[in-house]
Amino acid sequence: MRFLLDDEQREFARSLDALLTAADTPAVVRGWAAGDHAPGLTLWRRLADAGVFALAVPEAYGGVGPLPVETAVAFVELGRHGVPGPLVESVAAGVLLGGVGGPAAKEWLPRIASGTAVVSLALEGYGPYALDADVADAVLTVTGDELRLTRGAGGATGPGAPTGPEAPTGPGAATGPGGSTGRPAPTGPGAPTVSVDPARRLFRPEPGGEVVAAGPGVRAAARAAGTWATFATAAQAFGCGEALLRATVAYVKQRTQFGVPVGSFQAVKHRLADTLLGLEFARPLLYGAAVELADGAPGAGAAVAAAKVAAGEAGYAAARTALQLHGAVGYTEELDLAWWLRRARPLRDAWGTPSACRARVLAG
């Protein structure tokens, strides 16, 4: 089956591509990995202004969602440009809070949609870590039928932090969004766990936290949020793979050996063709899953899992191809390509490993 984006969706992709190209995302990624989050948070607000974080937030809370196809379009571009931060987690948090409703949804969903809050998320069954919790204004965790919220230190420096005369001062001043309302002062998440990708900072959520919802509805909302996280990660992995393939094709056209471009060698052509086929096979699965999510089809979860397997494996295969065909230069951190190479493997496994996704597909 062939899926075609409409004119508005294609224009959305072009506008994001232009925004991210102008933002010099390789420099943003390097800064994020080094602990300089300011450029990344500035870019976060610009993405919010473009409507990225409103795509999964219901209209009742200031969003425009849920819009799975547009979410796929956005996250392919985010993956292609290597944008750092808990992008997937913030979108999935929008789905989670939209599903449970209540005061927490009223407080946080408008802030997620507007980009004034950065939110990370950890769900049972998807690993113990919350991505970039040190930057987050809030970390959401679901255990059983309880949804807990821990206010993070990101509130002091995040995109919605008060500045100037509104900023808290003095030794007793709160450093997060809840300090002046009697809520517990935010705390840091501790030391990160080492990741293959230095720009993906993994933290174990702090124990405890405020229970903001409980009951069977939390489990259902968590399942939906996990599906959306898997879906958005698949789109990111696909975009990462496309970026790696494009960079490699450009390189083998320039690199010469025996007086001719190495891209003219049959073995190189075959390797690139195999990589392209993997990505093109994943594309309809990704957008097919988006259509099923939009329709609320019973098999949407299995479709998302299939898309994640295909996109994750295709992105990782593109990384292996890029590394081999770039040769020794592919290992150097000075080359921007290194950041995409390091990201492909974590994206393949994040929010649903290949084995877990295959089991989901077989379960139907």
Side-chain angles (χ1 to χ4, degrees), residues 207-274:
E210 176 187 0
V211 177
V212 295
V218 171
R219 290 181 181 270
R223 285 194 296 270
T227 298
W228 271 74
T230 302
F231 170 66
T233 305
Q236 269 192 315
F238 179 81
C240 180
E242 280 199 324
L244 286 162
L245 179 60
R246 289 182 184 182
T248 307
V249 169
Y251 180 76
V252 299
K253 287 180 179 179
Q254 299 172 357
R255 176 82 163 90
T256 61
Q257 198 167 37
F258 306 114
V260 296
V262 297
S264 65
F265 300 152
Q266 190 176 49
V268 173
K269 290 180 180 179
H270 284 184
R271 185 67 184 263
L272 291 170
D274 289 343

Side-chain angles (χ1 to χ4, degrees), residues 318-360:
R320 292 170 64 89
T321 297
L323 183 59
Q324 180 176 9
L325 298 187
H326 275 81
V329 71
Y331 287 93
T332 61
E333 288 193 4
E334 289 78 6
L335 190 69
D336 290 339
L337 181 83
W339 297 96
W340 277 257
L341 289 172
R342 290 178 174 183
R343 181 155 299 182
R345 177 65 181 269
L347 288 178
R348 187 192 74 165
D349 296 339
W351 291 106
T353 63
S355 60
C357 288
R358 288 188 176 99
R360 179 68 181 88

Side-chain angles (χ1 to χ4, degrees), residues 274-299:
D274 289 343
T275 302
L276 176 62
L277 283 174
L279 290 167
E280 289 303 315
F281 179 75
R283 188 190 304 274
L285 291 176
L286 176 64
Y287 287 107
V291 171
E292 295 214 24
L293 274 178
D295 293 341

Side-chain angles (χ1 to χ4, degrees), residues 31-253:
W32 194 274
D36 179 10
H37 299 129
L41 293 173
T42 298
L43 180 57
W44 187 281
R45 285 299 302 272
R46 296 182 65 189
L47 290 170
D49 291 342
V52 170
F53 301 115
L55 294 172
V57 174
E59 292 184 11
Y61 297 98
V64 297
L67 296 175
V69 177
E70 286 75 8
T71 299
V73 170
F75 275 82
V76 167
E77 293 301 325
L78 296 173
R80 183 180 291 127
H81 287 272
V83 180
L87 303 158
V88 167
E89 290 71 16
S90 284
V91 168
V95 175
L96 175 61
L97 291 171
V100 300
K106 291 180 181 179
E107 177 183 357
W108 289 97
L109 285 178
R111 296 182 62 193
I112 291 173
S114 65
T116 56
V118 177
V119 178
S120 193
L121 174 68
L123 297 177
E124 284 185 319
Y126 292 98
Y129 301 110
L131 182 66
D132 294 314
D134 59 329
V135 187
D137 297 275
V139 177
L140 299 175
T141 57
V142 175
T143 304
D145 60 358
E146 284 190 342
L147 169 59
R148 292 178 177 269
L149 184 149
T150 302
R151 296 173 186 270
T157 57
T163 58
E166 297 182 5
T169 59
T175 57
S180 61
T181 62
R183 299 188 183 100
T187 59
T193 298
V194 176
S195 171
V196 173
D197 178 3
R200 288 178 60 86
R201 298 165 59 82
L202 305 175
F203 294 86
R204 289 185 179 271
E206 291 290 300
E210 176 187 0
V211 177
V212 295
V218 171
R219 290 181 181 270
R223 285 194 296 270
T227 298
W228 271 74
T230 302
F231 170 66
T233 305
Q236 269 192 315
F238 179 81
C240 180
E242 280 199 324
L244 286 162
L245 179 60
R246 289 182 184 182
T248 307
V249 169
Y251 180 76
V252 299
K253 287 180 179 179

